[in-house]
Amino acid sequence: MKKILVIQGHPRSESLCGSIAREYATAAQQGGAQVDLLDLPRLQFDPILREGYKAEQALEPDLAKAQQLIRAADHLVFVFPSWWASMPALLKGFLDRVFLPGFAFKYRKNSPLPEKLLKGKTARIFITMDAPAWYYRWFNRAPGLRLLKFATLEFCGVKPVKYHIFGPVRGAPEKRLQKFLNEARRTGAQEAK
Amino acid sequence: MKKILVIQGHPRSESLCGSIAREYATAAQQGGAQVDLLDLPRLQFDPILREGYKAEQALEPDLAKAQQLIRAADHLVFVFPSWWASMPALLKGFLDRVFLPGFAFKYRKNSPLPEKLLKGKTARIFITMDAPAWYYRWFNRAPGLRLLKFATLEFCGVKPVKYHIFGPVRGAPEKRLQKFLNEARRTGAQEAK
């Protein structure tokens, strides 16, 4: 049975991101997958990696559990809003704390390339943009997407990483929001197989 | 007298970023500028924008002070390490909390372009990279730089935004680190004028 882990990165559970995550998760579950949903605002953890990479910072139980779920998953799904062209500090802090050397990758002595420790997994990213039209020119260079897709997930061996950009959602009519939710649901059903 | 605000975004004050910030600040002060140094790990604030843009979150005194300092400054200097090709959650959280609509920009009714509220200021960014050589291919697309330079500062009217990429610093010999510090000091002295 396919194991899917959905990581919801908006600080409000009751947000469009929260709905997208729940719609995807429900559809994937109904489609036959084993689905876990990590709703980050409900987790107890310090988003600040206090010592950087100089010293270890004990993992809170919720983060230890998150590492287990990531390790066990076949497919990772991230949902977050684009704030300042990137993810909220909540999700960035989750990455800083959880995607540690030794868990997500390992430096190798005689190679500039790291050992990728999350190989064999795939991923999908949903980004919502609370933004008017001028924002679109950032689309292809979207830093929040780049840093997660290329510099984090693919760097650790997660591949392919597909994505959806949902926007603008600011002042969007109900019909457009519904379209986004439908797309999340359809994708969840497809990826359950 | 030129007013410079230095914002240090590494969670450890005693880090290379901390040293760069202090060297720059000292040199600028000696050069005649009025310099304030915001060392983010010493500030008391919640890095999570809990309600997103749906409701107001009261500013802690340290953040209210930060807004005053930013408003008063002629020149903003950011120093941070690149973690997952971007800034630590500490600095992202600072941006999420401080660069609010109404302070940094304002949506306009009949225009897709916002009113830029930080016009007239300039900025400089120092990014350290704890990274081996393969990281360089991210240089030109560096998401952490892009999201701060283009999508945040220039978006709010801060221009020009110059930058330095210092790397790799992981395992770097003392001589190279010293070179970075010298560059920070020289730049601080120049920008005091």
Side-chain angles (χ1 to χ4, degrees):
Chain A
M1 195 194 279
K2 195 167 175 184
K3 285 184 187 165
I4 300 180
L5 176 63
V6 181
I7 296 169
Q8 195 294 102
H10 195 298
R12 272 192 316 117
S13 302
E14 299 308 318
S15 56
L16 178 62
C17 285
S19 300
I20 289 168
R22 286 187 293 270
E23 292 289 337
Y24 177 100
T26 305
Q29 204 152 29
Q30 288 170 350
Q34 181 191 316
V35 183
D36 284 287
L37 173 57
L38 277 184
D39 189 35
L40 295 194
R42 293 179 199 266
L43 268 53
Q44 299 288 331
F45 71 100
D46 182 354
I48 311 300
L49 187 66
R50 304 267 164 202
E51 301 296 324
Y53 298 92
K54 289 280 178 191
E56 233 174 278
Q57 181 172 353
L59 289 184
E60 294 86 339
D62 280 355
L63 291 190
K65 180 81 192 300
Q67 281 196 341
Q68 280 172 24
L69 290 172
I70 291 169
R71 206 180 272 122
D74 301 305
H75 187 58
L76 304 171
V77 178
F78 292 84
V79 188
F80 65 90
S82 183
W83 291 354
W84 296 112
S86 181
M87 54 186 59
L90 178 63
L91 177 53
K92 184 55 168 61
F94 179 82
L95 295 182
D96 289 348
R97 292 291 317 281
V98 163
F99 280 62
L100 295 167
F103 170 74
F105 68 97
K106 219 176 189 166
Y107 287 119
R108 288 195 286 200
K109 260 207 170 152
N110 298 310
S111 164
L113 290 168
E115 191 179 338
K116 297 165 185 288
L117 298 182
L118 300 180
K119 262 190 181 168
K121 304 178 195 307
T122 56
R124 184 171 295 271
I125 301 170
F126 292 93
I127 307 183
T128 64
M129 291 198 168
D130 210 23
W134 44 260
Y135 227 88
Y136 276 109
R137 66 192 180 98
W138 295 109
F139 180 93
N140 283 316
R141 300 169 161 191
L145 175 65
R146 285 208 158 270
L147 76 92
L148 183 56
K149 173 176 162 59
F150 297 103
T152 306
L153 294 171
E154 291 184 3
F155 177 79
C156 299
V158 178
K159 211 174 170 181
V161 180
K162 297 181 176 170
Y163 61 90
H164 309 247
I165 309 267
F166 289 163
V169 304
R170 181 163 163 267
E174 184 56 35
K175 216 175 101 181
R176 194 192 301 149
L177 301 181
Q178 208 51 59
K179 220 187 99 204
F180 296 151
L181 294 174
N182 291 343
E183 191 172 324
R185 205 177 303 126
R186 212 167 45 236
T187 311
Q190 279 164 4
E191 295 197 321
K193 291 159 201 163
Chain B
M1 194 193 282
K2 196 169 175 183
K3 285 185 186 165
I4 300 179
L5 175 63
V6 181
I7 296 170
Q8 196 294 102
H10 194 298
R12 272 191 315 115
S13 303
E14 298 309 318
S15 56
L16 177 62
C17 285
S19 299
I20 290 167
R22 287 186 292 272
E23 291 291 336
Y24 177 100
T26 305
Q29 203 153 30
Q30 288 170 350
Q34 181 191 318
V35 183
D36 283 288
L37 172 56
L38 277 184
D39 190 35
L40 295 195
R42 292 179 199 265
L43 267 52
Q44 299 288 331
F45 71 100
D46 181 355
I48 312 299
L49 186 65
R50 304 268 163 201
E51 301 295 325
Y53 298 91
K54 290 279 179 193
E56 233 174 276
Q57 181 172 352
L59 288 184
E60 294 86 339
D62 280 356
L63 292 190
K65 179 82 192 298
Q67 282 195 342
Q68 280 173 23
L69 290 172
I70 291 169
R71 206 179 273 123
D74 301 305
H75 186 58
L76 304 171
V77 178
F78 291 85
V79 189
F80 66 89
S82 182
W83 292 355
W84 295 112
S86 181
M87 53 187 59
L90 178 64
L91 178 53
K92 184 55 169 60
F94 179 81
L95 295 182
D96 290 347
R97 292 292 317 280
V98 164
F99 280 63
L100 295 168
F103 170 74
F105 68 98
K106 220 178 190 164
Y107 288 119
R108 288 194 284 200
K109 260 206 169 150
N110 299 309
S111 164
L113 290 168
E115 192 179 337
K116 299 166 185 284
L117 299 182
L118 300 179
K119 263 189 181 168
K121 304 177 195 308
T122 56
R124 184 171 294 272
I125 301 169
F126 292 93
I127 307 183
T128 64
M129 291 200 170
D130 209 24
W134 44 260
Y135 227 89
Y136 275 109
R137 66 192 181 98
W138 295 106
F139 180 93
N140 281 317
R141 300 168 160 192
L145 175 64
R146 284 207 159 272
L147 76 93
L148 183 55
K149 173 176 162 61
F150 297 103
T152 307
L153 294 170
E154 291 184 3
F155 176 79
C156 299
V158 178
K159 211 174 168 181
V161 180
K162 298 184 175 169
Y163 61 89
H164 309 246
I165 308 267
F166 289 163
V169 304
R170 182 165 163 265
E174 185 56 34
K175 216 174 101 182
R176 195 191 302 148
L177 301 182
Q178 208 50 59
K179 219 186 100 206
F180 297 150
L181 293 175
N182 291 343
E183 192 172 325
R185 205 176 303 127
R186 211 166 44 236
T187 311
Q190 278 163 3
E191 296 196 320
K193 289 160 203 162

